[in-house]
Amino acid sequence: MKNNFFVTSSILIATFLGSASQVLAVEQKPALEDADVLKMASAARQALAEQHINGCIVIADPDGVPLYVERQVNATPNCLSAALGKAKSAAIFKTDTNVSYEGLVKGEVHNLAVPDLSSNPGGVPLFVGKTVVGSIAISTPDGSKDLAVVHAAANAL
């Protein structure tokens, strides 16, 4: 019994080590730096102030995982959950959440059945070339202001 285990273990280790050499060829992709995130957050705060409205700001990685979250004083209670959803949707679907919103306005209700797809304007993916490096989302009570602010913040990148 022990000999079979040793042989099997040796085969597994040899297989793993053989695969390990292949892992060394790692593809490098662009990514958001902390300075990029802070620059966009600052631009979003400034654009919100110019719109005379308070809201929530979420900046996420390419998987929709939040890197930066801010809920401003006197922002509506549900703005944070909306902004989190918009950021995740924009990142994983690689499209502006306003596209889904416009489809919904046209009667394309099938989008409502797609998990994690936000049909609220204010979430955009962030691209470097053709690679999504993350997303940014803004949520306020006014979707048209969300659009203006999110595009101003994204342009800071």
Side-chain angles (χ1 to χ4, degrees):
M1 233 357 145
K2 290 182 181 179
N3 288 340
N4 286 340
F5 176 74
F6 178 77
V7 170
T8 304
S9 298
S10 298
I11 292 170
L12 287 174
I13 290 169
T15 302
F16 175 75
L17 290 176
S19 298
S21 64
Q22 295 172 354
V23 174
L24 296 177
V26 176
E27 180 183 349
Q28 292 187 354
K29 294 182 180 180
L32 289 174
E33 304 270 335
D34 291 345
D36 300 325
V37 171
L38 295 175
K39 188 177 193 180
M40 287 186 293
S42 177
R45 281 193 301 278
Q46 182 179 346
L48 283 166
E50 289 169 2
Q51 295 285 335
H52 307 290
I53 197 164
N54 292 331
C56 293
I57 305 163
V58 174
I59 302 170
D61 72 6
D63 297 321
V65 177
L67 300 172
Y68 180 92
V69 177
E70 180 179 339
R71 180 177 182 268
Q72 293 182 320
V73 175
N74 297 322
T76 58
N78 68 334
C79 81
L80 185 55
S81 59
L84 287 165
K86 292 176 192 185
K88 184 174 185 178
S89 178
I92 64 176
F93 292 106
K94 300 174 178 59
T95 188
D96 189 322
T97 59
N98 196 50
V99 171
S100 180
Y101 171 75
E102 289 173 350
L104 190 58
V105 169
K106 294 177 187 173
E108 298 171 5
V109 295
H110 63 279
N111 286 341
L112 296 173
V114 180
D116 296 324
L117 179 63
S118 176
S119 295
N120 295 309
V124 296
L126 301 167
F127 289 92
V128 171
K130 293 184 178 183
T131 303
V132 173
V133 294
S135 63
I136 183 166
I138 304 297
S139 183
T140 71
D142 185 340
S144 63
K145 290 186 178 184
D146 293 359
L147 287 172
V149 173
V150 80
H151 287 291
N155 287 337
L157 181 63

